[in-house]
Amino acid sequence: MDETVLHRKLAIAPWMDPALWRLPGVKPIPLEEWLVRDEVFAAQMQLRDKLIAERRGDVHALLDQGRPASQECLTHVLDHLAKDSGYTFSANHVARPDGIKVDIDHDAPLLTLGRLVQSDFCIMEEGPDGHVLTGAILCFPGSWTLAEKIGRPLFAIHTPVREYDQGVSARVQRLFDAIKPDKLLMRVNAIRHEDPSLYHPRRETDPVSVRRGGPDGKYIRSERQVLRRLPETGAVVFSIHTTVISIDRLSADQRAGLESAGIKSG
């Protein structure tokens, strides 16, 4: 399976914006900007369809406790897409902008979501040790595996990330606690990669070289991450829209900022 889909432009270069580049680096965005559809929609969706068909157990997980929030998330995504003229709705399915029809299955909400939009979705719900990952559709993992993270709280999920210390963990947990329904928060990251594959899993015990590649990687992998609290279940939805772009495709200003930002592989 070819797992490489490259963008021709980078919509947001987070290293150019100090507010985004400092952890946790969040900005409020309007509700209508929750999900985006970009130039590589058709190619990314074709890959998502194949991953869901061939690697379902790797890219999808849903605990029983996460089902109501996942179903609520699907409802809100459908409401969002109803305002996008590229989608055509019927009683039982939605036709995507690339012409592919997707059956709407409320009994498999995350699998349905995974075939509707470019974003991945993680469902985070309150637990005794902070918010816990209770469900996810993760077709484009950026150096982690869903099997190792499902059912774990925020800090445990980020254990291998050296920047994610106790101080950052506490700030992120406060952010999850404080977010209000329909008050969306966005953060954007950027990591230098040698491997441009969108499906890029890594186990916690794998070496750094498996995780991200060398510091002179020719690609930037960037994730546009949005936090949204669902009004009925109170769960926080963490959506992830992934861009992979060759460094030589960056604008002159974006390339000039790379060195000063010190963007390397982790």
Short mmCIF file of all heavy atoms in Angstrom, two decimals, residues 105-169:
data_model
loop_
_atom_site.label_atom_id
_atom_site.label_comp_id
_atom_site.label_asym_id
_atom_site.label_seq_id
_atom_site.Cartn_x
_atom_site.Cartn_y
_atom_site.Cartn_z
N ASP A 105 -23.50 4.73 9.62
CA ASP A 105 -23.72 3.64 10.58
C ASP A 105 -23.50 4.18 11.98
O ASP A 105 -22.36 4.31 12.44
CB ASP A 105 -22.78 2.48 10.28
CG ASP A 105 -23.07 1.25 11.13
OD1 ASP A 105 -23.88 1.36 12.07
OD2 ASP A 105 -22.46 0.19 10.87
N HIS A 106 -24.58 4.47 12.68
CA HIS A 106 -24.47 5.01 14.04
C HIS A 106 -24.01 3.95 15.04
O HIS A 106 -23.65 4.29 16.17
CB HIS A 106 -25.80 5.63 14.47
CG HIS A 106 -26.14 6.89 13.74
ND1 HIS A 106 -25.64 8.12 14.10
CD2 HIS A 106 -26.90 7.10 12.64
CE1 HIS A 106 -26.09 9.05 13.28
NE2 HIS A 106 -26.86 8.46 12.37
N ASP A 107 -24.04 2.68 14.64
CA ASP A 107 -23.51 1.63 15.50
C ASP A 107 -21.99 1.49 15.34
O ASP A 107 -21.34 0.82 16.15
CB ASP A 107 -24.18 0.29 15.17
CG ASP A 107 -25.63 0.25 15.59
OD1 ASP A 107 -25.97 0.90 16.61
OD2 ASP A 107 -26.44 -0.40 14.90
N ALA A 108 -21.43 2.09 14.31
CA ALA A 108 -19.98 2.12 14.09
C ALA A 108 -19.58 3.56 13.81
O ALA A 108 -19.12 3.90 12.71
CB ALA A 108 -19.59 1.20 12.94
N PRO A 109 -19.76 4.44 14.80
CA PRO A 109 -19.62 5.88 14.54
C PRO A 109 -18.23 6.30 14.11
O PRO A 109 -18.07 7.15 13.22
CB PRO A 109 -20.01 6.52 15.88
CG PRO A 109 -19.79 5.44 16.90
CD PRO A 109 -20.11 4.16 16.21
N LEU A 110 -17.19 5.75 14.74
CA LEU A 110 -15.83 6.19 14.41
C LEU A 110 -15.39 5.67 13.05
O LEU A 110 -14.69 6.36 12.31
CB LEU A 110 -14.86 5.74 15.51
CG LEU A 110 -15.10 6.37 16.88
CD1 LEU A 110 -14.14 5.80 17.91
CD2 LEU A 110 -14.96 7.89 16.83
N LEU A 111 -15.78 4.46 12.72
CA LEU A 111 -15.46 3.93 11.39
C LEU A 111 -16.14 4.76 10.31
O LEU A 111 -15.56 5.02 9.24
CB LEU A 111 -15.87 2.47 11.29
CG LEU A 111 -15.04 1.50 12.14
CD1 LEU A 111 -15.70 0.12 12.18
CD2 LEU A 111 -13.62 1.40 11.61
N THR A 112 -17.36 5.20 10.58
CA THR A 112 -18.06 6.08 9.63
C THR A 112 -17.34 7.41 9.50
O THR A 112 -17.11 7.90 8.39
CB THR A 112 -19.52 6.30 10.08
OG1 THR A 112 -20.17 5.03 10.20
CG2 THR A 112 -20.27 7.15 9.09
N LEU A 113 -16.95 7.99 10.64
CA LEU A 113 -16.21 9.25 10.61
C LEU A 113 -14.92 9.13 9.81
O LEU A 113 -14.54 10.04 9.07
CB LEU A 113 -15.87 9.68 12.05
CG LEU A 113 -16.98 10.29 12.88
CD1 LEU A 113 -16.53 10.47 14.32
CD2 LEU A 113 -17.41 11.63 12.29
N GLY A 114 -14.24 8.01 9.98
CA GLY A 114 -12.96 7.82 9.32
C GLY A 114 -13.05 7.82 7.82
O GLY A 114 -12.04 8.08 7.13
N ARG A 115 -14.23 7.56 7.27
CA ARG A 115 -14.42 7.53 5.83
C ARG A 115 -15.10 8.78 5.30
O ARG A 115 -15.31 8.91 4.10
CB ARG A 115 -15.22 6.29 5.42
CG ARG A 115 -14.55 4.97 5.81
CD ARG A 115 -15.18 3.81 5.07
NE ARG A 115 -15.05 4.01 3.63
CZ ARG A 115 -16.06 3.79 2.77
NH1 ARG A 115 -17.23 3.38 3.20
NH2 ARG A 115 -15.87 3.99 1.48
N LEU A 116 -15.41 9.72 6.17
CA LEU A 116 -16.09 10.94 5.76
C LEU A 116 -15.15 12.13 5.57
O LEU A 116 -15.35 12.94 4.66
CB LEU A 116 -17.17 11.32 6.78
CG LEU A 116 -18.45 10.49 6.76
CD1 LEU A 116 -19.34 10.90 7.93
CD2 LEU A 116 -19.20 10.66 5.44
N VAL A 117 -14.17 12.26 6.44
CA VAL A 117 -13.32 13.45 6.43
C VAL A 117 -11.85 13.05 6.59
O VAL A 117 -11.52 11.93 6.94
CB VAL A 117 -13.71 14.43 7.56
CG1 VAL A 117 -15.11 14.97 7.35
CG2 VAL A 117 -13.60 13.77 8.92
N GLN A 118 -10.97 14.00 6.32
CA GLN A 118 -9.53 13.75 6.39
C GLN A 118 -9.02 13.63 7.82
O GLN A 118 -7.97 13.05 8.05
CB GLN A 118 -8.77 14.88 5.68
CG GLN A 118 -8.94 14.88 4.17
CD GLN A 118 -8.36 16.14 3.54
OE1 GLN A 118 -9.09 17.08 3.25
NE2 GLN A 118 -7.06 16.17 3.30
N SER A 119 -9.74 14.19 8.76
CA SER A 119 -9.27 14.21 10.15
C SER A 119 -9.43 12.86 10.82
O SER A 119 -10.37 12.11 10.55
CB SER A 119 -10.06 15.25 10.96
OG SER A 119 -9.80 16.56 10.51
N ASP A 120 -8.50 12.56 11.72
CA ASP A 120 -8.67 11.49 12.70
C ASP A 120 -9.37 12.07 13.93
O ASP A 120 -9.36 13.30 14.14
CB ASP A 120 -7.32 10.90 13.09
CG ASP A 120 -6.73 10.03 12.00
OD1 ASP A 120 -7.48 9.20 11.44
OD2 ASP A 120 -5.53 10.16 11.71
N PHE A 121 -9.95 11.19 14.74
CA PHE A 121 -10.68 11.64 15.93
C PHE A 121 -10.32 10.78 17.14
O PHE A 121 -10.33 9.55 17.06
CB PHE A 121 -12.20 11.54 15.71
CG PHE A 121 -12.73 12.47 14.67
CD1 PHE A 121 -12.78 12.09 13.34
CD2 PHE A 121 -13.18 13.74 15.01
CE1 PHE A 121 -13.26 12.94 12.36
CE2 PHE A 121 -13.66 14.61 14.05
CZ PHE A 121 -13.70 14.21 12.71
N CYS A 122 -10.02 11.45 18.25
CA CYS A 122 -9.80 10.79 19.53
C CYS A 122 -10.86 11.30 20.51
O CYS A 122 -11.08 12.51 20.61
CB CYS A 122 -8.41 11.09 20.08
SG CYS A 122 -7.06 10.46 19.05
N ILE A 123 -11.49 10.37 21.21
CA ILE A 123 -12.53 10.72 22.19
C ILE A 123 -11.91 10.65 23.58
O ILE A 123 -11.43 9.59 24.01
CB ILE A 123 -13.72 9.76 22.10
CG1 ILE A 123 -14.27 9.70 20.67
CG2 ILE A 123 -14.81 10.16 23.09
CD1 ILE A 123 -14.82 11.00 20.15
N MET A 124 -11.90 11.77 24.28
CA MET A 124 -11.30 11.86 25.61
C MET A 124 -12.41 12.14 26.63
O MET A 124 -13.17 13.10 26.48
CB MET A 124 -10.26 12.98 25.66
CG MET A 124 -9.19 12.91 24.58
SD MET A 124 -8.10 11.47 24.70
CE MET A 124 -7.38 11.67 26.32
N GLU A 125 -12.48 11.30 27.67
CA GLU A 125 -13.52 11.45 28.68
C GLU A 125 -12.92 11.47 30.08
O GLU A 125 -11.88 10.83 30.34
CB GLU A 125 -14.55 10.32 28.56
CG GLU A 125 -15.22 10.30 27.19
CD GLU A 125 -16.37 9.33 27.12
OE1 GLU A 125 -17.41 9.58 27.75
OE2 GLU A 125 -16.21 8.30 26.41
N GLU A 126 -13.58 12.17 30.98
CA GLU A 126 -13.06 12.34 32.34
C GLU A 126 -12.96 11.01 33.06
O GLU A 126 -13.84 10.16 32.98
CB GLU A 126 -13.97 13.28 33.13
CG GLU A 126 -13.88 14.73 32.69
CD GLU A 126 -14.67 15.65 33.59
OE1 GLU A 126 -14.65 15.40 34.82
OE2 GLU A 126 -15.30 16.59 33.09
N GLY A 127 -11.83 10.85 33.78
CA GLY A 127 -11.61 9.67 34.61
C GLY A 127 -10.94 10.08 35.90
O GLY A 127 -10.63 11.26 36.11
N PRO A 128 -10.69 9.14 36.79
CA PRO A 128 -10.10 9.48 38.09
C PRO A 128 -8.70 10.06 37.98
O PRO A 128 -8.26 10.79 38.88
CB PRO A 128 -10.09 8.13 38.83
CG PRO A 128 -10.20 7.09 37.76
CD PRO A 128 -11.00 7.71 36.68
N ASP A 129 -7.97 9.76 36.90
CA ASP A 129 -6.61 10.27 36.72
C ASP A 129 -6.52 11.26 35.57
O ASP A 129 -5.47 11.40 34.94
CB ASP A 129 -5.65 9.10 36.48
CG ASP A 129 -5.60 8.13 37.64
OD1 ASP A 129 -5.51 8.61 38.79
OD2 ASP A 129 -5.66 6.92 37.41
N GLY A 130 -7.62 11.94 35.27
CA GLY A 130 -7.64 12.87 34.15
C GLY A 130 -8.38 12.26 32.97
O GLY A 130 -8.96 11.19 33.06
N HIS A 131 -8.39 12.98 31.87
CA HIS A 131 -9.13 12.53 30.69
C HIS A 131 -8.48 11.28 30.09
O HIS A 131 -7.26 11.20 29.94
CB HIS A 131 -9.20 13.65 29.66
CG HIS A 131 -10.26 14.66 29.95
ND1 HIS A 131 -10.15 15.57 30.97
CD2 HIS A 131 -11.48 14.86 29.38
CE1 HIS A 131 -11.24 16.33 31.01
NE2 HIS A 131 -12.06 15.92 30.05
N VAL A 132 -9.35 10.33 29.74
CA VAL A 132 -8.93 9.01 29.25
C VAL A 132 -9.37 8.85 27.79
O VAL A 132 -10.45 9.29 27.40
CB VAL A 132 -9.56 7.90 30.11
CG1 VAL A 132 -9.27 6.52 29.54
CG2 VAL A 132 -9.05 8.00 31.56
N LEU A 133 -8.53 8.20 27.00
CA LEU A 133 -8.85 7.91 25.60
C LEU A 133 -9.81 6.71 25.56
O LEU A 133 -9.42 5.58 25.82
CB LEU A 133 -7.58 7.59 24.82
CG LEU A 133 -7.76 7.25 23.34
CD1 LEU A 133 -8.31 8.44 22.56
CD2 LEU A 133 -6.42 6.80 22.73
N THR A 134 -11.08 6.97 25.23
CA THR A 134 -12.09 5.90 25.23
C THR A 134 -12.46 5.43 23.83
O THR A 134 -13.19 4.46 23.69
CB THR A 134 -13.37 6.35 25.96
OG1 THR A 134 -13.93 7.50 25.28
CG2 THR A 134 -13.06 6.71 27.41
N GLY A 135 -11.96 6.11 22.80
CA GLY A 135 -12.22 5.68 21.44
C GLY A 135 -11.43 6.52 20.47
O GLY A 135 -11.09 7.67 20.77
N ALA A 136 -11.15 5.94 19.30
CA ALA A 136 -10.41 6.71 18.29
C ALA A 136 -10.51 6.04 16.93
O ALA A 136 -10.59 4.81 16.83
CB ALA A 136 -8.94 6.87 18.68
N ILE A 137 -10.50 6.86 15.90
CA ILE A 137 -10.19 6.42 14.55
C ILE A 137 -8.90 7.13 14.19
O ILE A 137 -8.83 8.36 14.19
CB ILE A 137 -11.33 6.73 13.54
CG1 ILE A 137 -10.97 6.20 12.16
CG2 ILE A 137 -11.72 8.20 13.52
CD1 ILE A 137 -11.04 4.69 12.04
N LEU A 138 -7.84 6.36 13.98
CA LEU A 138 -6.49 6.91 13.83
C LEU A 138 -5.82 6.28 12.61
O LEU A 138 -5.01 5.38 12.73
CB LEU A 138 -5.67 6.66 15.09
CG LEU A 138 -4.28 7.28 15.12
CD1 LEU A 138 -4.36 8.80 15.25
CD2 LEU A 138 -3.45 6.70 16.26
N CYS A 139 -6.19 6.77 11.44
CA CYS A 139 -5.61 6.25 10.20
C CYS A 139 -4.18 6.76 9.99
O CYS A 139 -3.39 6.08 9.34
CB CYS A 139 -6.48 6.63 9.02
SG CYS A 139 -8.09 5.83 9.01
N PHE A 140 -3.89 7.95 10.50
CA PHE A 140 -2.59 8.57 10.25
C PHE A 140 -1.85 8.82 11.56
O PHE A 140 -1.64 9.96 11.97
CB PHE A 140 -2.77 9.89 9.49
CG PHE A 140 -3.50 9.77 8.19
CD1 PHE A 140 -4.19 10.86 7.66
CD2 PHE A 140 -3.50 8.59 7.46
CE1 PHE A 140 -4.85 10.76 6.44
CE2 PHE A 140 -4.16 8.48 6.24
CZ PHE A 140 -4.84 9.58 5.73
N PRO A 141 -1.44 7.75 12.26
CA PRO A 141 -0.72 7.95 13.52
C PRO A 141 0.65 8.57 13.28
O PRO A 141 1.37 8.16 12.37
CB PRO A 141 -0.60 6.53 14.08
CG PRO A 141 -0.60 5.66 12.86
CD PRO A 141 -1.54 6.32 11.90
N GLY A 142 1.00 9.55 14.06
CA GLY A 142 2.30 10.20 13.97
C GLY A 142 3.21 9.69 15.06
O GLY A 142 3.41 10.34 16.09
N SER A 143 3.76 8.48 14.88
CA SER A 143 4.73 7.90 15.81
C SER A 143 4.10 7.42 17.11
O SER A 143 4.67 7.60 18.19
CB SER A 143 5.87 8.89 16.10
OG SER A 143 6.52 9.25 14.90
N TRP A 144 2.91 6.82 17.03
CA TRP A 144 2.32 6.15 18.17
C TRP A 144 1.35 5.10 17.67
O TRP A 144 1.04 5.05 16.47
CB TRP A 144 1.66 7.12 19.15
CG TRP A 144 0.57 8.01 18.64
CD1 TRP A 144 0.69 9.04 17.76
CD2 TRP A 144 -0.82 7.98 19.00
NE1 TRP A 144 -0.52 9.65 17.54
CE2 TRP A 144 -1.47 9.03 18.29
CE3 TRP A 144 -1.58 7.18 19.86
CZ2 TRP A 144 -2.83 9.29 18.42
CZ3 TRP A 144 -2.94 7.44 19.98
CH2 TRP A 144 -3.55 8.48 19.27
N THR A 145 0.91 4.23 18.56
CA THR A 145 -0.03 3.19 18.19
C THR A 145 -1.26 3.27 19.07
O THR A 145 -1.16 3.47 20.29
CB THR A 145 0.59 1.77 18.32
OG1 THR A 145 0.95 1.53 19.67
CG2 THR A 145 1.80 1.62 17.42
N LEU A 146 -2.40 3.11 18.46
CA LEU A 146 -3.65 3.19 19.19
C LEU A 146 -3.77 2.08 20.24
O LEU A 146 -4.28 2.30 21.34
CB LEU A 146 -4.81 3.12 18.18
CG LEU A 146 -6.23 3.29 18.70
CD1 LEU A 146 -6.36 4.54 19.56
CD2 LEU A 146 -7.20 3.32 17.53
N ALA A 147 -3.27 0.89 19.91
CA ALA A 147 -3.39 -0.23 20.83
C ALA A 147 -2.71 0.05 22.17
O ALA A 147 -3.15 -0.43 23.21
CB ALA A 147 -2.79 -1.49 20.19
N GLU A 148 -1.62 0.82 22.15
CA GLU A 148 -0.88 1.13 23.38
C GLU A 148 -1.51 2.27 24.17
O GLU A 148 -1.18 2.47 25.34
CB GLU A 148 0.57 1.47 23.07
CG GLU A 148 1.40 0.29 22.62
CD GLU A 148 2.86 0.64 22.45
OE1 GLU A 148 3.16 1.69 21.83
OE2 GLU A 148 3.72 -0.11 22.94
N LYS A 149 -2.41 3.05 23.54
CA LYS A 149 -2.92 4.26 24.18
C LYS A 149 -4.37 4.16 24.63
O LYS A 149 -4.79 4.88 25.53
CB LYS A 149 -2.79 5.46 23.22
CG LYS A 149 -1.40 5.65 22.64
CD LYS A 149 -0.34 5.91 23.70
CE LYS A 149 1.02 6.20 23.07
NZ LYS A 149 2.07 6.43 24.08
N ILE A 150 -5.16 3.28 24.01
CA ILE A 150 -6.58 3.22 24.34
C ILE A 150 -6.77 2.87 25.82
O ILE A 150 -6.10 1.99 26.37
CB ILE A 150 -7.30 2.19 23.42
CG1 ILE A 150 -8.81 2.29 23.58
CG2 ILE A 150 -6.78 0.78 23.67
CD1 ILE A 150 -9.41 3.54 23.00
N GLY A 151 -7.66 3.59 26.47
CA GLY A 151 -7.95 3.37 27.88
C GLY A 151 -6.99 4.05 28.84
O GLY A 151 -7.15 3.91 30.06
N ARG A 152 -6.02 4.81 28.32
CA ARG A 152 -5.02 5.44 29.19
C ARG A 152 -5.30 6.93 29.33
O ARG A 152 -5.86 7.57 28.43
CB ARG A 152 -3.61 5.23 28.63
CG ARG A 152 -3.21 3.77 28.56
CD ARG A 152 -1.87 3.56 27.89
NE ARG A 152 -0.76 4.05 28.69
CZ ARG A 152 0.52 4.03 28.31
NH1 ARG A 152 0.83 3.53 27.11
NH2 ARG A 152 1.47 4.48 29.09
N PRO A 153 -4.91 7.55 30.46
CA PRO A 153 -5.10 8.99 30.66
C PRO A 153 -4.06 9.80 29.91
O PRO A 153 -3.07 9.27 29.40
CB PRO A 153 -4.96 9.16 32.17
CG PRO A 153 -4.07 8.03 32.58
CD PRO A 153 -4.39 6.89 31.67
N LEU A 154 -4.27 11.11 29.86
CA LEU A 154 -3.43 12.01 29.07
C LEU A 154 -1.94 11.84 29.34
O LEU A 154 -1.14 11.73 28.41
CB LEU A 154 -3.84 13.46 29.33
CG LEU A 154 -5.00 14.02 28.52
CD1 LEU A 154 -5.43 15.36 29.09
CD2 LEU A 154 -4.61 14.16 27.06
N PHE A 155 -1.54 11.88 30.61
CA PHE A 155 -0.11 11.84 30.90
C PHE A 155 0.51 10.53 30.46
O PHE A 155 1.62 10.51 29.90
CB PHE A 155 0.15 12.07 32.39
CG PHE A 155 1.62 12.21 32.71
CD1 PHE A 155 2.30 13.38 32.41
CD2 PHE A 155 2.33 11.16 33.27
CE1 PHE A 155 3.65 13.51 32.68
CE2 PHE A 155 3.68 11.26 33.53
CZ PHE A 155 4.35 12.44 33.24
N ALA A 156 -0.18 9.43 30.67
CA ALA A 156 0.35 8.14 30.26
C ALA A 156 0.44 8.04 28.74
O ALA A 156 1.35 7.42 28.20
CB ALA A 156 -0.52 7.01 30.81
N ILE A 157 -0.52 8.66 28.05
CA ILE A 157 -0.48 8.65 26.58
C ILE A 157 0.78 9.34 26.08
O ILE A 157 1.40 8.90 25.11
CB ILE A 157 -1.74 9.35 26.03
CG1 ILE A 157 -2.97 8.46 26.23
CG2 ILE A 157 -1.57 9.69 24.54
CD1 ILE A 157 -4.28 9.12 25.88
N HIS A 158 1.19 10.42 26.75
CA HIS A 158 2.33 11.21 26.29
C HIS A 158 3.65 10.83 26.96
O HIS A 158 4.64 11.56 26.81
CB HIS A 158 2.06 12.70 26.53
CG HIS A 158 0.99 13.26 25.63
ND1 HIS A 158 -0.34 13.24 25.96
CD2 HIS A 158 1.08 13.85 24.41
CE1 HIS A 158 -1.03 13.81 24.99
NE2 HIS A 158 -0.21 14.18 24.04
N THR A 159 3.68 9.71 27.64
CA THR A 159 4.88 9.34 28.40
C THR A 159 6.17 9.38 27.58
O THR A 159 7.19 9.89 28.05
CB THR A 159 4.70 7.93 29.01
OG1 THR A 159 3.65 7.99 29.97
CG2 THR A 159 5.97 7.47 29.69
N PRO A 160 6.23 8.90 26.32
CA PRO A 160 7.51 8.91 25.61
C PRO A 160 7.92 10.29 25.08
O PRO A 160 9.02 10.44 24.57
CB PRO A 160 7.25 7.96 24.42
CG PRO A 160 5.97 7.29 24.70
CD PRO A 160 5.19 8.21 25.56
N VAL A 161 7.03 11.30 25.16
CA VAL A 161 7.32 12.61 24.59
C VAL A 161 8.11 13.42 25.61
O VAL A 161 7.59 13.81 26.65
CB VAL A 161 6.01 13.34 24.21
CG1 VAL A 161 6.33 14.70 23.58
CG2 VAL A 161 5.20 12.47 23.25
N ARG A 162 9.39 13.70 25.29
CA ARG A 162 10.25 14.31 26.30
C ARG A 162 9.81 15.73 26.68
O ARG A 162 10.05 16.19 27.80
CB ARG A 162 11.71 14.33 25.81
CG ARG A 162 11.99 15.17 24.58
CD ARG A 162 13.50 15.26 24.33
NE ARG A 162 13.82 16.04 23.16
CZ ARG A 162 14.11 15.54 21.97
NH1 ARG A 162 14.07 14.23 21.80
NH2 ARG A 162 14.39 16.32 20.95
N GLU A 163 9.14 16.45 25.75
CA GLU A 163 8.69 17.80 26.06
C GLU A 163 7.48 17.80 27.00
O GLU A 163 7.14 18.83 27.59
CB GLU A 163 8.33 18.55 24.77
CG GLU A 163 9.50 18.75 23.81
CD GLU A 163 9.61 17.60 22.82
OE1 GLU A 163 8.93 16.56 23.03
OE2 GLU A 163 10.38 17.72 21.84
N TYR A 164 6.83 16.65 27.14
CA TYR A 164 5.57 16.57 27.88
C TYR A 164 5.86 16.20 29.33
O TYR A 164 5.66 15.08 29.77
CB TYR A 164 4.65 15.54 27.22
CG TYR A 164 3.18 15.69 27.57
CD1 TYR A 164 2.34 16.48 26.79
CD2 TYR A 164 2.63 15.04 28.67
CE1 TYR A 164 1.00 16.60 27.09
CE2 TYR A 164 1.28 15.16 28.99
CZ TYR A 164 0.47 15.95 28.19
OH TYR A 164 -0.87 16.07 28.50
N ASP A 165 6.37 17.18 30.10
CA ASP A 165 6.71 16.93 31.48
C ASP A 165 5.50 17.19 32.38
O ASP A 165 4.40 17.47 31.91
CB ASP A 165 7.91 17.78 31.89
CG ASP A 165 7.67 19.28 31.72
OD1 ASP A 165 6.49 19.69 31.60
OD2 ASP A 165 8.65 20.04 31.69
N GLN A 166 5.72 17.12 33.70
CA GLN A 166 4.61 17.28 34.63
C GLN A 166 3.97 18.66 34.51
O GLN A 166 2.75 18.80 34.63
CB GLN A 166 5.11 17.06 36.06
CG GLN A 166 5.49 15.62 36.37
CD GLN A 166 4.27 14.73 36.59
OE1 GLN A 166 3.15 15.21 36.64
NE2 GLN A 166 4.49 13.43 36.68
N GLY A 167 4.79 19.68 34.25
CA GLY A 167 4.25 21.04 34.14
C GLY A 167 3.34 21.18 32.94
O GLY A 167 2.23 21.73 33.03
N VAL A 168 3.80 20.69 31.78
CA VAL A 168 2.97 20.74 30.58
C VAL A 168 1.73 19.88 30.76
O VAL A 168 0.62 20.26 30.38
CB VAL A 168 3.78 20.27 29.34
CG1 VAL A 168 2.87 20.14 28.13
CG2 VAL A 168 4.91 21.25 29.06
N SER A 169 1.90 18.72 31.38
CA SER A 169 0.76 17.83 31.62
C SER A 169 -0.33 18.51 32.43
O SER A 169 -1.52 18.41 32.11
CB SER A 169 1.23 16.56 32.34
OG SER A 169 0.14 15.75 32.69
#
